[in-house]
Amino acid sequence: MIAYLAWITAALSCAGSLAYVGYYQLRSVSVPRMLAKVTATGGLALTALLLERGWLLVAALGVAALADYVKTFRTEATLMTAISLSSIFNVLLSMWFLTEHWSGLGAPFVAAGALAGIAGGYAILVWPHMGRLRGIVLPYMVTVLVAVLTGLGAGESDPLLTIGVLLYMLSVILLGFELMLFHNEYRFLRVVGPMIWLLYYSGLAFFVLGGGR
């Protein structure tokens, strides 16, 4: 029965994701648009709960669903709230990696140095465009780095976790470029906006798929 319900919530999640990326993403703020987005991430949270993936992952995905809900309003205030919620998501995800799936990094200092180099170059590119968001974006970037590093260290327990981490990291990188550099270029958003969502959603889905050891 539980497995059957998990299939239902997973199907609802996929349907919400496809509806959002295929129709609602580039449209104006509306209740159906919000429902599609929240159904996608909220459905993953319910699936993780039914499959007993651990309360930390369930909580992280629940926070992600709340952040996605807040993002649908498209205001500066809600953007800042969404970034704060996304930081909490990253912290919970890191805790899940460490407590449930940590297997260690073969070369931790090399991995940390490589990620720090990527983050530093990325920060140099977007820093002039952060404006008032600097105080909240920089802590968020730190939590992303921690989530990626712990995720890579947990990936040996299931390669699907590594795939999820890489997809999620790419979505964050592209999202930063969208918000800071190309937020007024509609042609850019038409192409990259769906890519960001598909990378983000697929990353979260791989966490659920790979979290069942």
Side-chain angles (χ1 to χ4, degrees), residues 141-207:
M141 290 175 63
V142 172
T143 66
V144 170
L145 284 175
V146 173
V148 171
L149 191 62
T150 54
L152 293 176
E156 289 188 16
S157 65
D158 194 316
L160 294 180
L161 293 178
T162 300
I163 296 174
V165 168
L166 296 177
L167 291 174
Y168 176 64
M169 181 177 69
L170 287 174
S171 74
V172 171
I173 291 172
L174 287 178
L175 180 62
F177 285 134
E178 177 194 350
L179 291 176
M180 304 299 173
L181 301 177
F182 300 104
H183 57 280
N184 290 323
E185 296 188 18
Y186 185 68
R187 285 182 297 179
F188 178 87
L189 298 181
R190 282 185 64 88
V191 175
V192 176
M195 288 178 58
I196 292 170
W197 173 259
L198 290 173
L199 288 169
Y200 165 74
Y201 178 79
S202 298
L204 300 190
F206 273 108
F207 295 151

Side-chain angles (χ1 to χ4, degrees), residues 50-69:
L50 292 168
L51 294 178
E52 298 182 347
R53 293 308 194 234
W55 70 268
L56 281 169
L57 181 62
V58 174
L61 292 172
V63 171
L66 182 58
D68 286 334
Y69 165 74

Side-chain angles (χ1 to χ4, degrees), residues 105 107-121 145 149 152:
L105 288 167
F109 295 108
V110 173
L115 288 175
I118 293 171
L145 284 175
L149 191 62
L152 293 176

Side-chain angles (χ1 to χ4, degrees), residues 30-119:
S30 67
V31 172
R33 182 180 184 275
M34 178 271 291
L35 288 175
K37 194 172 189 180
V38 174
T39 297
T41 44
L44 287 178
L46 289 175
T47 303
L49 176 63
L50 292 168
L51 294 178
E52 298 182 347
R53 293 308 194 234
W55 70 268
L56 281 169
L57 181 62
V58 174
L61 292 172
V63 171
L66 182 58
D68 286 334
Y69 165 74
V70 171
K71 290 174 189 175
T72 61
F73 293 98
R74 291 177 171 174
T75 67
E76 184 175 343
T78 55
L79 173 62
M80 295 183 72
T81 301
I83 294 173
S84 298
L85 288 170
S86 296
S87 296
I88 296 173
F89 163 79
N90 290 326
V91 171
L92 291 171
L93 186 64
S94 300
M95 293 171 62
W96 180 66
F97 285 141
L98 286 171
T99 59
E100 299 287 339
H101 298 282
W102 181 257
S103 55
L105 288 167
F109 295 108
V110 173
L115 288 175
I118 293 171

